[in-house]
Amino acid sequence: MSSSLFQMDTEASDLLNDLQVRLNNVLDDLSSTFGNSFQSRITDCMRQMASLLYQIKGPLNENTKNQVEANSDNMLRPLMNFLDAQLTLFATVCEKTVLKRVLKELWRIVMTSLEKNIVLPQGNDTFVSLMLVSVTRQVSIQM
């Protein structure tokens, strides 16, 4: 058999390529919509994490190393519990291609939320403002 028997018609090949591109775009849009449905829950987890983080005090040294590790684990717990439950479900019900897109979208949302709520909180965010006032008071009392 010659290789020409296995070559696809140019028109059919172009049509299939176009359909593949459209399918990928639709999957990306659906993954984004699906991921965004978790935005408020992820934001809640980040706020809980920020609250726990602001409660951690003191310098890191050999005497406090174990306590810092325990505090770090405790601080991550709200997000990790949420993600563990969701990712286990997604891994069970999603096809691999869809799962990769959903995970990518969730990762983007988690990183954006982490940045907005913990790393670079907005000055106009009431929760963060209250936490900063609390920390400032504690520092001024200790001085």
Side-chain angles (χ1 to χ4, degrees):
M1 292 189 167
S2 73
S3 64
S4 63
L5 291 177
F6 296 108
Q7 290 183 352
M8 191 179 296
D9 178 40
T10 305
E11 184 178 338
S13 176
D14 290 344
L15 179 62
L16 288 174
N17 286 335
D18 181 52
L19 287 173
Q20 183 69 41
V21 167
R22 290 179 15 196
L23 175 63
N24 286 334
N25 290 337
V26 168
L27 286 174
D28 288 340
D29 290 344
L30 287 173
S31 296
S32 179
T33 300
F34 182 70
N36 287 336
S37 70
F38 294 100
Q39 180 70 53
S40 64
R41 181 66 176 109
I42 291 171
T43 299
D44 282 348
C45 290
M46 291 297 169
R47 288 175 186 256
Q48 291 172 31
M49 288 172 54
S51 176
L52 293 169
L53 176 64
Y54 294 133
Q55 293 173 18
I56 298 173
K57 300 175 186 165
L60 176 62
N61 58 45
E62 283 301 314
N63 298 332
T64 62
K65 184 178 179 182
N66 290 337
Q67 183 63 35
V68 169
E69 289 177 10
N71 287 339
S72 299
D73 289 342
N74 188 45
M75 185 200 78
L76 291 171
R77 192 170 324 278
L79 179 65
M80 298 311 290
N81 288 343
F82 170 73
L83 289 176
D84 184 47
Q86 298 305 315
L87 298 179
T88 301
L89 174 65
F90 299 159
T92 303
V93 299
C94 290
E95 191 269 333
K96 185 178 178 181
T97 305
V98 173
L99 180 62
K100 285 170 57 174
R101 283 181 163 84
V102 168
L103 293 177
K104 178 181 170 186
E105 188 62 28
L106 284 176
W107 180 253
R108 184 193 63 78
I109 292 168
V110 166
M111 290 289 94
T112 302
S113 186
L114 181 68
E115 179 181 27
K116 287 180 180 178
N117 291 289
I118 295 178
V119 178
L120 300 170
Q122 296 295 321
N124 61 359
D125 185 15
T126 306
F127 173 77
V128 173
S129 297
L130 292 174
M131 294 306 294
L132 289 174
V133 168
S134 173
V135 168
T136 304
R137 284 182 187 156
Q138 290 174 0
V139 169
S140 64
I141 290 171
Q142 292 174 355
M143 293 180 148

